[in-house]
Amino acid sequence: MANFRSIIATISITIISISLSNALYEDQVGKFDWKRSFIGKVKHARFDNKRLIVTSHENVVASLSLKNDQILWRQVMENPQEQQPLHLHVDKDVITVSGNRNNHYVRGWDSPTGSLLWEWVIATEKSADSFWLVKDDTLVHIAPFPGSHMEVTHYNAKTGEVRWKTRKIPETWVGGTNKCAIANPYFVCVSNGQLFWFNVVNSDANTHRSQSVQTLIGESDPGNLHLLEFEGPKPAVLLVRNNNAKVVEVDEETAKALPYSLISNAIYVENAIYQLEANLENPDKLIKVKSLNLLTGQEGLSVEVDYPLGLGGPYIVAGQCRGGVCDLLLSSTDNALTLVRLPEGKVIWTREEALSNIVSVEFFELPVSELDASIEKEFAIASNDVVSMFSHRISTQTRQLYNLVLSGQLLGNSGLVRDEFGLHRIIVVATNVGKLFGIDTLTGSIVWTYRLPNVKPFKDSAMMLLVQRTARYAPLPAQCVLLAEDANTGAGVSFTFDPISGMSQRGIERLGYKIKQAFLLPHEDDDHVKPIVVVASDNAVHVYPDEGRSVVQKHSDTTFLYMLDGTIMRGYKIKANFALTQVWEVNLGPSELVAVSTRPINERVHSQGRVLPDRSVYYKYVNPNLVALATLHDDPIHKHVLSVYLIDGVTGLVLYSASHKKAKGPVHLVHSENWLVYSFFNERFRRNEIVAAELYEGHIQSNSTAFSSFGVSQLPHIQTQSYITPANPVSMTVTLTERGITNKFLLVGMSSGSVVEIPWMLLQPRFADIACGPEESCIPYMPEIPLPAEAIINYNQTLSRIRRIEVAPAKLESTSHVLVHGLDLFYTRVAPSKTFDLLKEDFDHKLIVLVLSGLIIASYVTKYLASKKTLRQAWK
Amino acid sequence: MEYFSLRHLFLLLAIHNNCVFSQASSEDESETGRYVIEGRIFPLSDYQTSQANWQANTRILVNGGEYIGFVKKDGSLIVHNVPSGSYIVEVLNPEYTFEPVRVEINSKGKYRARKVNHIQTSLVIQVPYPLRMKALAKTRYFQVREQWRITDFIFNPMVLMMVLPLLLVMLLPKLMNDPETKKEMEQIQSLTKFELPEMSDMVSNFLAGGSSQSANAQQNKKNQKAKKRQ
């Protein structure tokens, strides 16, 4: 029996590998895919001769090159939501301390290669915002407990061996994060108008020193004070009072303030202090770097920086001077990282780290070339004059011919012009910090950027990019709207722009109300713009643009929407007077909503049914209004129970529900065509499982032309099947093609950093009563889904912290665009049924020409020979 | 049944070792009950030569990233802060494939490592702990392109199309030296004989063409069509 099963398994695997193998060839690497790596917003940075060592808010430690924006190495540490880098020390080796408030990892990294040298952990019982200090090879951990005491522990930085047991030092002046700072070897705090400092490294000193702030800054009212770290030649801190900072040098006996004031963002590099100032004189170079002498405060050089215009306000993170040339690392409010070289003030490189946190993605078709547009224009100009139309036609066609002959090559590559197969696109990306990017799919280069200040995503996770008009309607430009939240007030923000050029005519519009729900109407107005309907928190309906109101009115009897409030789902209808009336409500009970999925709007279903072996058709239940939801709730017996629902978004009818006991997140839902796929973790068997459910109408199709949610005569038949995945899915999506003829692939991002394509055929539930074999193009059921390395679409380009996978159809039916984002950005194209509509890459044009001409020549030669022969025979 | 007895044995062992163990590992087993997963990676022999810096590119994921570890220069791996439970330890390297291992740490801090089997989850095949992770093979991400071979070229339909008629034309008449068949052949040839116009005639006719030789021109057109069909 076992033998038989193994035979079946091997046969089926070979079938799969033959029929479905879709791997790349090695020479296709980088031909149509690209990858960009990011590190996130920089937290600490140190120069280490020819390289830069940084840690970031994404809990990453990395080394950057000074020559270009390349990452030399990058190590991704624990989840940044739970743990953050806390300290970076670069000496011979790189030492990082990362963790949360009571669990810390101390790691040593080899600075040229980035491999781990040592790792040990510090676990403390009480949690505190710790301070760290490295002196020689001793790591000092200072845990302050504001108002009562601090605990100081010395460790051997390499081994974690305790050099000096935890000392409890009762000092009432100890404060929190911005009231205290490290001035190696002192721990300095400001409290009640007094500056206190304590030598935490040296064993002799056991008492603190103090001095009143008044004597340091010479003002009677100390005001709101806080401290910042300052790395000078002597132990020092920056004492900041109302945006005005002073360097305070500290020694065993006294503290002394240097006689000049700075802004709070100043750093010390080789005998000079550098700070940034706004440059009001030159509108092209808005930023100026000023240097001051450390001792006297005398102004040294002042350099205008060629700072790129699109970036946010900068601040200095680190600096280094070598032989008269100084490098300053600037970070900006939009997370960009810039390396500036002094004394020229030249920008060496800029890294757009905002792309490490993408919240919304949309693919855009490019407009037609000017030449094609001019042909279109012929129809736009409604002139009836035959002569002018004829001359126009002739002139455009001669221009076309001219272009074809003289600059045929150039035309294809000249800028952002639509290509024949729709493979060249612009990806518009909205990031967490509110910066928009237009990215070219062919090269991965950034075409345009637009920074929206004070904008944040809804619930910190999503912005809405809605496509009102595509570039199809030349000469009208494409139009796209971004909906987000104001970072300060939480009110809605809308930004209308042209996705191809990144230009906006109206700029940011603050809406003045909170957005509860928004959607794009599927109907166009006279300018081919699809209106946006926004529902405010008080259920008022707003329509953008205003001209769209008539469209909404016209279609008000067929416009329904749903809103989710926790696990209560409510359906509404828009009335002609722009009021919402609740139509239905579904309460999913006291649980947590973990996933929602709807069918992609632009998805088309090509085949309406499945042909069974008896040659009858089993019709698919294709309901475009279905919403798939997943909830998790705690259960005393089964730990957690996962429930999955399919609800009709118009009528609120629950078409299907299933529950899984002892299930755990993360749950990923994918709903497409007539099926649903979801993944979860089975706690009983400690494995990840994937379930596929497919909906059928039966042997009779109720309505073959248009689907109506109200026309339900009977519930759909549902087939389900579940599988085991040997890896941990972190994101799931399904491929999308222009007409839906091509097979579907499920794209699954794994925790291992690979994106795997799984053919839907492998998951499709098998009919229990129908034999499954190759003649039915059916693969026998296997409990474990094989994930061969050939199915990894990003091959050896491991992607860190995959967040989402976005797909869009190309003009070519066989192909879809794929963008994977997370800490890295990866774009590729997939062809689930292979590129059946394209000639093979290795198609030999020369051979076919050779054969054809050979045949023609041969036929003439033989004809000649034959006639010669007949002539000779006739003479005989 | 075997599994249960094994389990009992383990419990016994755990109890037996407990007194020794608690003293020895009092440092690991701090009050928070956090443990350390240790092991070593054994790369393939060509591994170190092809990837000079393989340690930096290798990561350890426990339960798909719940806990992570890095590889030191000597190939040893360590994952800190792991509470007792059952974990899948994976070694990730872009170029090489490693087999994952399930590591179970009981509440007393006893370790057991076994092969991962998702289908028969209760089947225990023990592997040594501290872990010894060996690279299975180089990961094959790519399909192999078919190599160019002379046989492929010869059996190419287009080449066959060119070569076979040539062979027939050249060889068949020589093979048939028999006079009777020759006669028959001649008869057949005379039946199928038809004159293709000369290329030069065609061109001159075409150029001279026009209304005067409309019939001729039509014939020419027909011929051209015939040629196209070729």
Side-chain angles (χ1 to χ4, degrees):
Chain A
M1 187 62 201
N3 210 352
F4 179 64
R5 203 179 287 162
S6 71
I7 289 168
I8 285 186
T10 43
I11 289 170
S12 50
I13 285 167
T14 43
I15 289 167
I16 295 160
S17 54
I18 291 164
S19 63
L20 305 166
S21 78
N22 218 326
L24 283 173
Y25 293 111
E26 195 154 5
D27 49 64
Q28 285 178 316
V29 166
K31 234 175 188 176
F32 42 77
D33 56 26
W34 47 261
K35 179 193 171 191
R36 300 280 171 274
S37 294
F38 298 98
I39 51 173
K41 187 186 183 182
V42 165
K43 196 164 183 185
H44 309 105
R46 292 279 181 282
F47 281 87
D48 181 25
N49 274 323
K50 282 174 191 161
R51 61 184 89 86
L52 193 60
I53 311 284
V54 293
T55 64
S56 78
H57 287 268
E58 295 287 336
N59 206 6
V60 163
V61 53
S63 171
L64 305 175
S65 160
L66 290 187
K67 290 193 198 100
N68 49 36
D69 58 353
Q70 290 300 305
I71 296 174
L72 298 174
W73 53 263
R74 183 184 74 178
Q75 293 289 9
V76 180
M77 300 190 284
E78 282 79 5
N79 183 357
Q81 263 90 52
E82 289 155 20
Q83 307 205 356
Q84 279 287 313
L86 302 168
H87 187 76
L88 170 71
H89 178 87
V90 178
D91 197 359
K92 220 175 80 207
D93 305 317
V94 178
I95 300 172
T96 60
V97 181
S98 67
N100 50 23
R101 282 163 62 89
N102 50 11
N103 238 326
H104 308 284
Y105 289 89
V106 182
R107 290 184 173 118
W109 308 95
D110 185 37
S111 141
T113 62
S115 60
L116 186 80
L117 297 174
W118 67 83
E119 175 185 316
W120 50 275
V121 288
I122 301 173
T124 53
E125 282 171 59
K126 286 174 264 174
S127 54
D129 290 321
S130 305
F131 288 86
W132 305 88
L133 186 159
V134 177
K135 186 98 184 166
D136 302 326
D137 64 340
T138 303
L139 177 79
V140 183
H141 173 208
I142 304 144
F145 295 91
S148 72
H149 67 282
M150 59 178 174
E151 289 177 4
V152 180
T153 320
H154 289 215
Y155 299 94
N156 180 333
K158 287 190 180 178
T159 59
E161 170 204 351
V162 179
R163 287 225 167 117
W164 195 349
K165 250 171 53 193
T166 307
R167 286 180 288 164
K168 240 186 196 176
I169 300 164
E171 300 283 11
T172 52
W173 48 266
V174 169
T177 359
N178 58 7
K179 293 286 177 197
C180 294
I182 296 287
N184 203 345
Y186 301 99
F187 180 62
V188 189
C189 282
V190 60
S191 171
N192 288 333
Q194 292 268 341
L195 192 77
F196 296 89
W197 66 98
F198 183 88
N199 189 333
V200 284
V201 175
N202 202 331
S203 45
D204 307 329
N206 261 327
T207 51
H208 67 261
R209 301 267 166 190
S210 73
Q211 198 162 337
S212 94
V213 174
Q214 203 184 325
T215 59
L216 289 170
I217 59 173
E219 294 207 34
S220 54
D221 171 34
N224 190 13
L225 294 165
H226 67 266
L227 290 183
L228 288 175
E229 255 179 70
F230 184 82
E231 282 173 36
K234 285 181 195 162
V237 288
L238 267 186
L239 182 68
V240 186
R241 179 177 168 276
N242 308 336
N243 248 341
N244 205 347
K246 277 200 165 189
V247 179
V248 178
E249 287 187 339
V250 180
D251 63 27
E252 277 308 326
E253 301 300 323
T254 56
K256 133 178 151 249
L258 296 178
Y260 50 89
S261 57
L262 302 164
I263 57 166
S264 58
N265 178 234
I267 62 154
Y268 167 84
V269 187
E270 235 169 70
N271 297 324
I273 294 171
Y274 291 88
Q275 60 181 28
L276 296 181
E277 274 173 29
N279 188 7
L280 303 174
E281 291 134 38
N282 188 346
D284 293 334
K285 298 181 173 183
L286 294 170
I287 302 294
K288 203 156 60 170
V289 175
K290 263 194 178 161
S291 79
L292 292 97
N293 186 299
L294 176 72
L295 295 174
T296 60
Q298 202 174 27
E299 279 193 23
L301 81 169
S302 163
V303 184
E304 287 179 343
V305 179
D306 205 0
Y307 193 68
L309 276 177
L311 300 187
Y315 57 92
I316 308 181
V317 189
Q320 172 183 262
C321 285
R322 281 187 309 172
V325 179
C326 288
D327 289 330
L328 291 182
L329 184 72
L330 312 184
S331 181
S332 64
T333 49
D334 57 348
N335 297 0
L337 206 58
T338 311
L339 188 75
V340 175
R341 183 152 294 171
L342 299 178
E344 305 97 313
K346 198 173 76 185
V347 171
I348 307 289
W349 50 254
T350 304
R351 290 183 61 86
E352 293 280 6
E353 290 301 336
L355 287 171
S356 66
N357 203 335
I358 292 172
V359 289
S360 193
V361 174
E362 198 62 60
F363 288 75
F364 285 93
E365 223 173 324
L366 289 163
V368 289
S369 65
E370 268 177 49
L371 199 74
D372 291 341
S374 64
I375 297 171
E376 300 263 332
K377 240 180 252 165
E378 186 181 318
F379 304 105
I381 304 163
S383 71
N384 295 321
D385 186 4
V386 177
V387 180
S388 73
M389 274 174 83
F390 182 71
S391 67
H392 185 82
R393 163 66 63 87
I394 295 295
S395 67
T396 48
Q397 283 188 344
T398 34
R399 231 181 314 149
Q400 219 170 352
L401 189 74
Y402 176 81
N403 268 323
L404 196 76
V405 174
L406 287 177
S407 55
Q409 282 304 100
L410 280 172
L411 197 71
N413 304 331
S414 61
L416 297 166
V417 168
R418 189 186 300 178
D419 61 339
E420 215 175 327
F421 299 137
L423 298 176
H424 190 186
R425 294 250 168 144
I426 276 214
I427 311 172
V428 173
V429 153
T431 59
N432 198 31
V433 286
K435 194 168 185 179
L436 290 166
F437 293 87
I439 302 170
D440 190 332
T441 54
L442 289 190
T443 56
S445 57
I446 294 167
V447 184
W448 55 264
T449 63
Y450 201 104
R451 192 168 52 86
L452 306 169
N454 279 331
V455 162
K456 76 173 174 59
F458 300 111
K459 289 177 185 169
D460 288 318
S461 60
M463 291 188 190
M464 285 179 103
L465 272 176
L466 301 170
V467 189
Q468 289 195 298
R469 181 167 61 204
T470 59
R472 198 169 291 165
Y473 305 101
L476 296 166
Q479 189 175 321
C480 179
V481 170
L482 177 86
L483 291 176
E485 230 170 58
D486 189 299
N488 300 326
T489 62
V493 167
S494 104
F495 175 67
T496 310
F497 61 99
D498 174 3
I500 310 301
S501 62
M503 299 291 204
S504 174
Q505 290 183 335
R506 282 181 283 177
I508 308 170
E509 289 163 87
R510 311 259 165 196
L511 299 180
Y513 56 84
K514 282 194 181 183
I515 296 176
K516 200 168 160 192
Q517 175 73 293
F519 64 96
L520 198 68
L521 215 64
H523 314 283
E524 295 169 355
D525 67 3
D526 300 338
D527 289 336
H528 303 290
V529 170
K530 288 178 182 169
I532 290 173
V533 179
V534 183
V535 180
S537 52
D538 58 347
N539 278 4
V541 177
H542 303 259
V543 181
Y544 300 96
D546 287 335
E547 299 84 62
R549 290 180 81 88
S550 60
V551 183
V552 176
Q553 233 156 7
K554 200 173 134 198
H555 297 279
S556 62
D557 55 335
T558 53
T559 308
F560 295 85
L561 67 142
Y562 70 90
M563 283 190 249
L564 283 161
D565 176 18
T567 53
I568 301 170
M569 192 180 178
R570 292 190 182 93
Y572 296 88
K573 188 172 188 290
I574 294 182
K575 288 203 286 193
N577 61 353
F578 296 98
L580 283 184
T581 40
Q582 190 174 327
V583 185
W584 53 267
E585 182 181 303
V586 174
N587 192 341
L588 302 178
S591 51
E592 187 199 350
L593 188 73
V594 286
V596 182
S597 170
T598 52
R599 263 179 60 185
I601 306 164
N602 48 354
E603 184 185 69
R604 291 203 200 173
V605 182
H606 180 73
S607 101
Q608 291 299 311
R610 186 167 164 184
V611 180
L612 301 183
D614 60 0
R615 301 299 154 231
S616 62
V617 177
Y618 207 47
Y619 286 102
K620 290 176 180 173
Y621 178 81
V622 184
N623 182 348
N625 307 323
L626 277 190
V627 184
L629 301 132
T631 60
L632 267 180
H633 66 93
D634 294 335
D635 189 282
I637 305 159
H638 306 298
K639 287 186 181 170
H640 308 285
V641 177
L642 166 74
S643 307
V644 176
Y645 304 90
L646 274 174
I647 297 176
D648 189 301
V650 171
T651 58
L653 177 72
V654 181
L655 284 163
Y656 172 69
S657 73
S659 64
H660 299 270
K661 289 158 194 157
K662 289 198 175 176
K664 202 170 77 168
V667 178
H668 303 284
L669 276 176
V670 173
H671 171 43
S672 169
E673 297 200 342
N674 65 327
W675 48 265
L676 171 75
V677 167
Y678 53 96
S679 74
F680 63 92
F681 186 79
N682 185 331
E683 277 190 297
R684 182 160 166 234
F685 296 112
R686 293 181 303 220
R687 64 192 183 198
N688 280 288
E689 295 185 4
I690 283 190
V691 179
E694 205 172 10
L695 289 81
Y696 287 101
E697 272 189 24
H699 288 291
I700 306 149
Q701 197 170 21
S702 59
N703 190 343
S704 56
T705 48
F707 183 87
S708 169
S709 286
F710 292 109
V712 183
S713 55
Q714 55 177 356
L715 285 175
H717 308 189
I718 290 156
Q719 301 260 0
T720 57
Q721 200 138 54
S722 61
Y723 306 84
I724 303 162
T725 46
N728 302 287
V730 289
S731 178
M732 250 195 335
T733 192
V734 65
T735 56
L736 205 60
T737 52
E738 183 79 5
R739 312 233 152 236
I741 298 165
T742 311
N743 289 341
K744 292 270 180 186
F745 265 11
L746 211 63
L747 298 174
V748 186
M750 302 294 184
S751 62
S752 59
S754 50
V755 179
V756 184
E757 46 186 21
I758 302 173
W760 163 242
M761 255 224 287
L762 264 185
L763 296 174
Q764 192 168 28
R766 279 71 164 173
F767 288 83
D769 49 344
I770 294 167
C772 188
E775 61 272 17
E776 300 301 330
S777 69
C778 168
I779 302 149
Y781 174 74
M782 281 172 291
E784 191 166 329
I785 301 169
L787 300 174
E790 286 97 336
I792 299 174
I793 61 169
N794 55 332
Y795 46 101
N796 64 0
Q797 310 242 42
T798 311
L799 305 174
S800 290
R801 294 205 193 113
I802 297 171
R803 206 169 285 126
R804 274 182 69 89
I805 304 168
E806 313 281 348
V807 291
K811 269 262 167 299
L812 208 59
E813 168 55 30
S814 65
T815 312
S816 39
H817 297 277
V818 178
L819 182 81
V820 186
H821 60 89
L823 195 55
D824 295 316
L825 204 57
F826 180 78
Y827 164 85
T828 190
R829 298 201 291 257
V830 290
S833 303
K834 301 197 173 173
T835 47
F836 58 83
D837 43 7
L838 271 184
L839 280 180
K840 266 199 224 161
E841 268 182 25
D842 53 354
F843 182 81
D844 212 333
H845 293 269
K846 278 178 208 150
L847 187 69
I848 200 163
V849 168
L850 205 79
V851 168
L852 277 180
S853 49
L855 281 174
I856 289 166
I857 292 166
S859 65
Y860 272 98
V861 169
T862 45
K863 200 204 77 187
Y864 170 75
L865 290 175
S867 67
K868 215 172 169 184
K869 199 178 172 189
T870 46
L871 187 71
R872 209 184 295 143
Q873 267 178 344
W875 275 105
K876 257 180 195 172
Chain B
M1 196 55 220
E2 252 184 49
Y3 169 62
F4 280 109
S5 59
L6 256 177
R7 206 181 199 181
H8 281 294
L9 200 82
F10 265 108
L11 275 176
L12 280 176
L13 270 174
I15 293 159
H16 179 75
N17 282 356
N18 199 19
C19 47
V20 191
F21 199 81
S22 60
Q23 280 175 353
S25 61
S26 59
E27 267 182 24
D28 298 359
E29 199 187 326
S30 59
E31 301 85 71
T32 47
R34 298 277 178 153
Y35 303 94
V36 172
I37 296 175
E38 283 172 318
R40 203 177 179 87
I41 291 177
F42 293 91
L44 290 177
S45 51
D46 66 324
Y47 195 101
Q48 278 158 312
T49 45
S50 65
Q51 276 189 303
N53 189 23
W54 64 272
Q55 293 94 338
N57 300 328
T58 310
R59 277 162 66 81
I60 314 297
L61 287 196
V62 176
N63 271 8
E66 235 175 277
Y67 304 94
I68 59 166
F70 298 94
V71 182
K72 285 188 200 168
K73 280 246 161 94
D74 60 352
S76 65
L77 69 94
I78 191 157
V79 183
H80 282 105
N81 272 344
V82 186
S84 59
S86 171
Y87 303 96
I88 291 181
V89 180
E90 291 171 277
V91 178
L92 301 181
N93 183 283
E95 300 297 332
Y96 289 83
T97 312
F98 290 84
E99 197 178 3
V101 174
R102 187 179 282 283
V103 174
E104 281 159 348
I105 309 169
N106 70 10
S107 54
K108 299 207 171 65
K110 184 81 189 150
Y111 291 83
R112 178 173 77 165
R114 60 186 176 102
K115 283 196 171 171
V116 177
N117 190 332
H118 286 297
I119 297 171
Q120 288 166 289
T121 44
S122 54
L123 184 78
V124 178
I125 300 169
Q126 282 232 37
V127 292
Y129 184 90
L131 302 171
R132 299 165 67 81
M133 313 281 267
K134 289 189 186 77
L136 288 179
K138 199 162 178 169
T139 316
R140 281 185 54 229
Y141 294 105
F142 303 109
Q143 262 180 312
V144 183
R145 256 210 209 281
E146 282 169 33
Q147 301 251 301
W148 194 88
R149 270 170 303 192
I150 189 77
T151 48
D152 284 354
F153 182 75
I154 288 168
F155 292 115
N156 188 320
M158 285 202 275
V159 175
L160 282 180
M161 212 158 78
M162 261 173 67
V163 172
L164 270 184
L166 206 76
L167 286 179
L168 286 175
V169 167
M170 295 298 185
L171 294 180
L172 270 181
K174 278 182 189 162
L175 285 175
M176 286 181 264
N177 281 328
D178 188 31
E180 272 180 43
T181 43
K182 230 178 191 176
K183 245 179 202 168
E184 275 175 34
M185 282 289 288
E186 267 164 31
Q187 270 179 345
I188 292 164
Q189 261 185 0
S190 62
L191 277 174
T192 55
K193 188 158 63 179
F194 65 94
E195 274 291 300
L196 264 175
E198 280 290 324
M199 193 64 176
S200 54
D201 287 354
M202 263 167 59
V203 173
S204 60
N205 282 342
F206 182 72
L207 288 175
S211 56
S212 63
Q213 287 180 323
S214 62
N216 208 344
Q218 265 177 8
Q219 207 194 335
N220 268 340
K221 267 182 198 163
K222 263 184 205 163
N223 288 335
Q224 273 175 313
K225 269 181 198 163
K227 215 173 63 183
K228 266 181 199 160
R229 248 174 253 141
Q230 276 185 348

